[in-house]
């Protein structure tokens, strides 16, 4: 598989995952944007994150730096954050 095909495959995967993070207000849309970038990184050659849950936790933490009261909307069955202590431990 060449590099362009691999990139298309990765982007397709992340786009499917974004279906589990709905659009919303400015903070929610920021969550989606940060998740997109973090997740692309996690699937690349030098990943900073191990899995989709780490990417989402990072995104939530980053959004809360700007919006401290942010309550993220996401599919809690798809993203198994509860196994890692939930998303509230990043406040």
């Amino acid at each position: 598989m060449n590099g362009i095909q691999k990139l298309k495959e990765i982007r397709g995967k992340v786009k499917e995952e974004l279906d589990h993070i709905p659009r919303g207000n400015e903070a929610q849309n920021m969550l989606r944007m940060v998740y997109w970038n973090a997740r692309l990184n996690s699937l690349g050659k030098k990943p900073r994150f191990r899995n989709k849950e780490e990417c989402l936790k990072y995104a939530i933490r980053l959004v809360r730096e700007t919006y401290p009261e942010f309550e993220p909307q996401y599919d809690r069955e798809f993203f198994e954050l509860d196994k890692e202590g939930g998303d509230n431990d990043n406040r």
Side-chain angles (χ1 to χ4, degrees):
M1 178 179 299
N2 70 35
I4 293 173
Q5 287 174 313
K6 181 74 173 164
L7 182 58
K8 282 183 178 181
E9 184 181 297
I10 289 171
R11 285 181 174 172
K13 177 179 179 61
V14 178
K15 191 171 186 228
E16 286 177 18
E17 291 176 6
L18 274 179
D19 289 342
H20 299 274
I21 304 173
R23 287 182 171 88
N25 61 19
E26 190 173 331
Q28 182 69 25
N29 291 336
M30 183 178 173
L31 176 71
R32 289 171 51 87
M33 181 184 69
V34 173
Y35 178 82
W36 171 267
N37 289 322
R39 189 62 171 140
L40 286 178
N41 169 277
S42 76
L43 297 169
K45 290 183 179 178
K46 295 181 181 178
R48 179 175 167 193
F49 308 100
R50 291 179 295 168
N51 55 43
K52 67 185 189 298
E53 285 78 17
E54 280 189 8
C55 293
L56 183 60
K57 287 174 78 169
Y58 167 76
I60 291 168
R61 189 170 61 248
L62 205 67
V63 172
R64 284 183 175 156
E65 288 178 9
T66 304
Y67 302 95
E69 301 303 315
F70 175 59
E71 289 300 325
Q73 302 298 311
Y74 61 90
D75 181 343
R76 283 167 166 71
E77 290 181 19
F78 183 75
F79 293 100
E80 299 178 12
L81 295 189
D82 293 337
K83 289 182 181 177
E84 299 179 18
D87 62 9
N88 290 325
D89 63 336
N90 291 318
R91 280 188 184 243

